[in-house]
Amino acid sequence: MGRLVTVATCSLNQWALDFEGNAQRIIESIQQAKAAGARLRVGPELEITGYGCLDHFLEGDTYLHSWEMLARILDHKDCQEILLDIGMPVRHRNTHFNCRVIAYNRRILLIRPKIWLANDGNYREMRYFTEWRRPRHVEQYDLRHIHWTVSDQSFIPFGDALISTRDTCIGAETCEELFTPDSPHNHMGLNGVEIFTNSSGSHHQLRKLDVRVELIREATRKNGGIYLYSNQQGCDGDRLYYDGSALIVVNGEILAQGSQFSLHDVEVITATVDLEEVRSYRTAPSRGSQAIEQASYERIETDLNLSQHGGELDLNLHPTVRQEAWYHTPEQEIALGPACWLWDYLRRSRAAGFFLPLSGGIDSCATAVIVHSMCRKVVEAVEEGNQQVIHDARRIAGEPEDSTWVPKEPQELCRRIFHTCFMGTENSSKDTRGRAKDLAQAIGAYHTDLNMDRLVTAMVDLFSLVTSFRPKFFVRGGSKTENLAMQNIQARLRMVLAYLFAQLLPTVRNRQGGGALLVLGSANVDECLRGYLTKYDCSSADINPIGGVSKTDLKRFIAYAQDAFSLPILASFLKATPTAELEPITQSYVQSDEADMGMTYDELSVFGRLRKVEKLGVWGMFSKLCYLWGDRLTPRVIYEKTRRFYYFYAINRHKQTVLTPSYHAESYSPDDNRYDLRPFLYPAFEWPYRKIEQWLDVYERREKDGGKEA
């Protein structure tokens, strides 16, 4: 048995620009780490400010307040005798950097700037920060201009260096650096670093966690070492949910793994590791040969032992046992991720609850079930004695300050904060109206039911009075343009009604202080991609928990929730044909979503992934689909489907510019905010269409001639 070291990493539910709240959560994590006997604590990326400050990282105040909060943390009595790795932005020589601050006993040992910045997908770090493109270079940071009084330091090392204690060596890398081909941990490990820290701001995406975990395991599987991964957790004011999952790995084996979805603001995991295991793992001659060829890092020498009792044998301390990685299923991820995101948004917006137009279809059903899942998580946290959740639940429910009320079951909380409404017309069926009512009752929502035909008629009457023209549905002799306009009247009126009800229902229900509700949208990612929604209808809301989830995944989620949440009513939603119910129902015609769209939801998912994830244009998509679908469809049919998709995608792209902020969950999301940046006025793609048609002409002539070359 060698030198045993107890280390800690954490997931923190930070909030962008909540400086004092963030500092308090950092201090609490340090307190928990010390209580567990840890000598090293690692925190998330940019934890002092919160990761999602966006353009606020361009403001001088953000850097000033970061130093003020760092001083508060380092000067706190409970933050001594433990090595701290804290994330914050730093301005050095008039340049902004994303940094780790390594400190011990009120003294800053090193400021380590991020070398490789995340600048794709949802990330735009190069907009705010500069990469430290000077490997192994260290210079001095001048503390005098910030009036630093916590210690007597005037200058501190700034750059790519290592921390050397009496018994080990520590190196820091930050989030994106783990994902790069030539990660810093490769070079640091060959330079003798035994403990790697990684501080991250990584968001949830369906089926992504295993990729991250395997990268972390691989970081020490070849070269050995102890790897501490920390991540933010929760909604910090944006579309993203940071999914925690803090991790401690030794030589590729997992010792501790934190939760992915949680309502706890602070979660600390610890492990006791043996430094000698790392050293014995690194005895391969080939590793030694590569190590001696590595350029050296500057080491910041620190008079500190991380190991217990200087490495003496202590039978009361045992190394942590290895464990297997665990993952949620995609259905569980949908149940938990958006639910935790909704709770953070609700409590931090100080709204009185949610309002959802409940149509009786599977999309609004899925949104309602996610709110129910949120209430389940809240009740679980209440039962665990989570005082922050209890306080938030009472406040949101409109309880007085001295109230002792706590929800005992999800339906009880749902009844207080969740409001649904079926907004029917003459085109609505009894089945959808009944499903909406039954689901609301099953989950405990406060449900209202109305018929809005009078409103629709009033709008048509007004238009007819002004123009002397009365539009009609297609089945009643109107044109396709009239038919679409008649559908859009209903859809847009529902949006207006939704905000009216959301603003006044808390007052109607005599909630203390009144308040207003957040309106929830329920358009899925495939409908957004195709543009199968009315601009400024019920897809226009405050937030949308399913806007990044595919229709296929939503169906699987509902099937899962039927048993997991004991909601048998969900079976009827799965059996129902998806329909907007905006056109009159006749004996020979019932509106169907997939018939309206001219493609199935499964096909839409494929189009979406090829367009965004595989980065294919019209010709590239057609070519790939010929391989994917060629066993069941002719190239001509594949071309027609590709052309139909791109036609509707192009004419509807403008809708993405006003899309409700949605929970990011899918890699092919068309979110126009910063994830999927495209024009919203497209040409007709005439050249790629002509290229495909020319190829088809040659192909079909060859097939007609028996496959012979022309």
Side-chain angles (χ1 to χ4, degrees):
M1 185 63 64
R3 293 177 178 269
L4 297 183
V5 177
T6 300
V7 293
T9 184
C10 63
S11 297
L12 302 183
N13 194 334
Q14 304 297 71
W15 188 7
L17 302 178
D18 181 22
F19 292 100
E20 291 189 294
N22 293 344
Q24 183 54 45
R25 286 182 283 272
I26 292 169
I27 292 169
E28 185 178 340
S29 72
I30 296 168
Q31 292 169 331
Q32 291 186 24
K34 288 186 66 177
R39 296 279 285 162
L40 166 64
R41 174 270 182 199
V42 183
E45 184 175 10
L46 297 167
E47 59 186 312
I48 286 182
T49 58
Y51 183 84
C53 292
L54 304 177
D55 279 1
H56 290 288
F57 284 125
L58 303 176
E59 299 169 2
D61 283 3
T62 304
Y63 297 82
L64 170 65
H65 300 330
S66 293
W67 280 108
E68 291 166 343
M69 293 304 108
L70 180 66
R72 177 181 297 189
I73 295 164
L74 297 189
D75 202 37
H76 195 281
K77 61 182 179 61
D78 293 336
C79 298
Q80 312 309 312
E81 301 301 324
I82 183 170
L83 188 63
L84 302 175
D85 183 345
I86 298 171
M88 63 179 262
V90 176
R91 183 164 56 193
H92 175 53
R93 297 183 178 177
N94 296 325
T95 304
H96 295 162
F97 296 97
N98 177 346
C99 294
R100 309 301 309 165
V101 177
I102 317 298
Y104 180 71
N105 283 356
R106 296 185 174 88
R107 299 185 68 83
I108 298 174
L109 306 178
L110 170 69
I111 299 177
R112 197 274 192 182
K114 192 171 182 178
I115 298 173
W116 306 113
L117 296 175
N119 210 59
D120 61 347
N122 283 299
Y123 298 102
R124 293 288 179 272
E125 290 184 10
M126 289 184 182
R127 182 180 174 96
Y128 327 115
F129 302 118
T130 299
E131 292 180 326
W132 184 252
R133 301 294 294 274
R134 307 178 75 180
R136 299 176 177 82
H137 174 78
V138 179
E139 55 196 43
Q140 295 299 303
Y141 182 85
D142 190 346
L143 275 175
R144 294 173 298 179
H145 71 284
I146 59 172
H147 307 294
W148 186 255
T149 59
V150 177
S151 66
D152 59 0
Q153 296 172 283
S154 297
F155 297 92
I156 50 179
F158 183 101
D160 185 21
L162 309 176
I163 300 295
S164 181
T165 68
R166 294 177 191 165
D167 51 358
T168 190
C169 185
I170 303 160
E173 65 180 4
T174 307
C175 196
E176 176 73 9
E177 294 170 356
L178 169 69
F179 295 85
T180 59
D182 190 17
S183 297
H185 65 254
N186 295 324
H187 306 285
M188 291 190 293
L190 291 171
N191 266 273
V193 169
E194 295 175 333
I195 300 177
F196 306 93
T197 66
N198 185 304
S199 306
S200 182
S202 187
H203 66 270
H204 173 239
Q205 187 168 289
L206 289 173
R207 305 173 180 90
K208 174 188 173 184
L209 181 60
D210 63 321
V211 175
R212 189 194 310 161
V213 170
E214 286 307 308
L215 279 171
I216 294 169
R217 296 181 70 176
E218 187 64 24
T220 60
R221 189 174 276 138
K222 281 187 178 181
N223 201 12
I226 301 160
Y227 204 100
L228 279 69
Y229 175 83
S230 175
N231 191 21
Q232 193 164 302
Q233 188 168 53
C235 166
D236 76 344
D238 200 358
R239 293 161 170 80
L240 307 181
Y241 178 83
Y242 301 92
D243 61 342
S245 305
L247 207 64
I248 300 177
V249 173
V250 175
N251 299 339
E253 300 293 330
I254 296 173
L255 299 191
Q257 181 178 356
S259 68
Q260 188 176 14
F261 309 109
S262 173
L263 299 189
H264 293 287
D265 284 349
V266 177
E267 181 179 277
V268 176
I269 62 170
T270 61
T272 299
V273 297
D274 188 353
L275 294 174
E276 289 299 324
E277 287 190 19
V278 176
R279 294 158 188 168
S280 63
Y281 195 86
R282 291 177 167 177
T283 56
S286 57
R287 181 204 170 273
S289 298
Q290 291 185 352
I292 61 173
E293 293 181 355
Q294 285 288 310
S296 297
Y297 285 81
E298 180 175 331
R299 294 195 175 201
I300 310 300
E301 300 295 336
T302 308
D303 188 19
L304 161 69
N305 263 320
L306 287 189
S307 55
Q308 301 290 333
H309 311 301
E312 294 181 6
L313 182 62
D314 182 356
L315 297 182
N316 293 317
L317 192 65
H318 301 275
T320 302
V321 178
R322 272 66 170 162
Q323 66 179 55
E324 294 298 319
W326 55 266
Y327 305 104
H328 293 291
T329 65
E331 294 80 13
Q332 291 170 329
E333 290 184 79
I334 295 170
L336 298 172
C340 293
W341 181 75
L342 283 178
W343 178 249
D344 277 344
Y345 200 100
L346 177 60
R347 68 191 181 109
R348 287 171 170 169
S349 69
R350 306 191 75 82
F354 295 122
F355 178 88
L356 172 68
L358 190 58
S359 69
I362 204 162
D363 292 328
S364 62
C365 164
T367 300
V369 174
I370 287 171
V371 175
H372 174 69
S373 177
M374 180 200 78
C375 292
R376 291 170 63 92
K377 290 290 291 181
V378 171
V379 171
E380 288 174 10
V382 168
E383 291 173 348
E384 294 169 358
N386 188 317
Q387 293 303 309
Q388 183 63 58
V389 172
I390 292 172
H391 170 78
D392 289 334
R394 287 173 180 162
R395 178 179 52 78
I396 295 167
E399 288 291 307
E401 288 290 331
D402 58 352
S403 172
T404 60
W405 172 82
V406 293
K408 294 181 173 56
E409 59 180 9
Q411 285 81 358
E412 181 183 356
L413 178 61
C414 215
R415 183 72 178 174
R416 300 287 293 271
I417 68 173
F418 188 36
H419 305 69
T420 59
C421 180
F422 183 83
M423 301 179 181
T425 68
E426 62 177 350
N427 304 318
S428 304
S429 67
K430 291 181 180 179
D431 290 341
T432 52
R433 178 175 256 116
R435 284 198 300 270
K437 179 182 177 182
D438 292 344
L439 175 60
Q441 183 175 359
I443 65 176
Y446 179 89
H447 186 65
T448 51
D449 187 309
L450 60 85
N451 192 301
M452 50 183 279
D453 284 327
R454 290 173 61 186
L455 280 177
V456 176
T457 301
M459 289 286 288
V460 175
D461 287 346
L462 176 62
F463 181 81
S464 301
L465 178 64
V466 174
T467 64
S468 300
F469 178 85
R470 192 168 190 84
K472 298 186 292 290
F473 285 106
F474 186 75
V475 297
R476 294 175 180 169
S479 66
K480 290 185 177 180
T481 300
E482 293 172 63
N483 192 62
L484 186 58
M486 291 295 291
Q487 293 183 67
N488 288 344
I489 290 171
Q490 301 165 73
R492 291 188 171 114
L493 282 174
R494 284 178 175 142
M495 186 269 288
V496 175
L497 282 173
Y499 276 94
L500 174 64
F501 275 65
Q503 194 164 11
L504 292 178
L505 273 181
T507 300
V508 170
R509 298 186 66 192
N510 296 314
R511 180 187 183 273
Q512 182 176 336
L517 307 172
L518 292 168
V519 178
L520 296 180
S522 56
N524 64 65
V525 70
D526 297 321
E527 291 171 347
C528 295
L529 175 67
R530 159 62 171 72
Y532 186 64
L533 50 87
T534 300
K535 203 172 186 180
Y536 304 117
D537 68 347
C538 280
S539 64
S540 295
D542 293 313
I543 51 175
N544 180 359
I546 68 166
V549 185
S550 72
K551 190 80 161 190
T552 303
D553 280 337
L554 286 176
K555 289 180 178 178
R556 292 172 180 158
F557 161 63
I558 293 300
Y560 158 81
Q562 179 183 344
D563 296 325
F565 297 164
S566 300
L567 294 172
I569 179 61
L570 297 182
S572 63
F573 286 86
L574 289 170
K575 295 174 184 176
T577 300
T579 173
E581 290 195 335
L582 293 171
E583 295 182 76
I585 299 172
T586 68
Q587 289 184 342
S588 60
Y589 178 74
V590 176
Q591 189 175 17
S592 163
D593 288 355
E594 291 186 337
D596 279 356
M597 292 190 299
M599 59 196 74
T600 67
Y601 283 107
D602 287 343
E603 288 172 343
L604 265 175
S605 291
V606 175
F607 288 135
R609 288 188 170 87
L610 294 182
R611 180 196 69 96
K612 175 64 178 175
V613 181
E614 299 199 22
K615 304 174 180 64
L616 299 179
V618 179
W619 167 258
M621 183 180 292
F622 166 75
S623 304
K624 187 66 175 281
L625 288 175
C626 283
Y627 296 112
L628 294 177
W629 293 347
D631 60 335
R632 58 186 179 87
L633 299 174
T634 66
R636 175 71 62 178
V637 172
I638 292 172
Y639 166 54
E640 291 169 354
K641 286 180 176 290
T642 303
R643 183 162 183 160
R644 185 180 301 117
F645 165 73
Y646 268 103
Y647 170 77
F648 286 108
Y649 164 76
I651 67 170
N652 288 314
R653 181 66 194 186
H654 66 95
K655 296 178 182 178
Q656 308 310 312
T657 64
V658 297
L659 204 64
T660 295
S662 300
Y663 180 95
H664 178 87
E666 186 53 79
S667 58
Y668 66 90
S669 168
D671 170 33
D672 185 68
N673 174 258
R674 70 173 184 269
Y675 183 71
D676 187 42
L677 305 181
R678 315 272 175 149
F680 55 88
L681 179 62
Y682 275 100
F685 301 116
E686 291 180 359
W687 170 243
Y689 292 156
R690 192 178 306 125
K691 180 178 175 67
I692 296 172
E693 288 166 358
Q694 290 170 351
W695 180 89
L696 283 171
D697 287 342
V698 174
Y699 171 82
E700 289 170 347
R701 282 199 305 270
R702 188 167 62 240
E703 290 297 300
K704 186 177 180 180
D705 294 339
K708 297 179 181 179
E709 293 291 338

